[in-house]
Amino acid sequence: DAGVTQSPTHLIKTRGQQVTLRCSPKSGHDTVSWYQQALGQGPQFIFQYYEEEERQRGNFPDRFSGHQFPNYSSELNVNALLLGDSALYLCASSSLRSGNTIYFGEGSWLTVV
Amino acid sequence: KNEVEQSPQNLTAQEGEFITINCSYSVGISALHWLQQHPGGGIVSLFMLSSGKKKHGRLIATINIQEKHSSLHITASHPRDSAVYICAVNYGGSQGNLIFGKGTKLSVKP
């Protein structure tokens, strides 16, 4: 079981550009959550997807959008990148059937220059 | 405002010492998680608690619902335990929607 996999692991973008980050949940998990972790801070909840719908959303602007596919994998898209979007983006998967234990990916390090 | 407070922020210990990290939260929760994050970034879930106490190897996690407080203990600490330990909570039964503390950076010296 590969656990939660994220790609890419590192990337550098320029201000104003758009980025797409990808996440494959742990096998058997149907819920995917995305978090942003700035350097030296705890992760902040961006949004959560379940059954291809955004179920909950944190305090992030509309520049942050996402998608969940029928195979439960998910994408996080960020438009009009700002320097302040530089962070580690973490994906976490879970499932009620699996007792709500949460599994995290290794994260995608985004640097905006 | 929902907040999760951890203490201490930084902790340095000698190998073999008993470690305690504390977490407090402001309102009722459905579950509390203790997580470990290594410098590479990946997060590992150590415990999920809604009441009582759990033990896994040298790690022990306790929670007091009435006092809205949880502790993570590490017995016989080892340099490989060096990491950031994060407390996170689920409010209102929201599966996977976690509110995180800022973490406790633990360094265990040989």
Side-chain angles (χ1 to χ4, degrees), chain B residues 86-109:
Chain B
I86 304 173
C87 171
V89 300
N90 291 104
Y91 287 105
S94 300
Q95 176 197 341
N97 175 14
L98 296 173
I99 308 298
F100 290 77
K102 292 186 177 181
T104 295
K105 185 175 181 181
L106 171 65
S107 178
V108 181
K109 306 293 186 186

Side-chain angles (χ1 to χ4, degrees), chain A residues 87-102:
Chain A
L88 175 67
Y89 289 85
L90 292 160
C91 170
S93 74
S94 60
S95 170
L96 276 173
R97 290 188 300 274
S98 301
N100 279 351
T101 300
I102 296 172

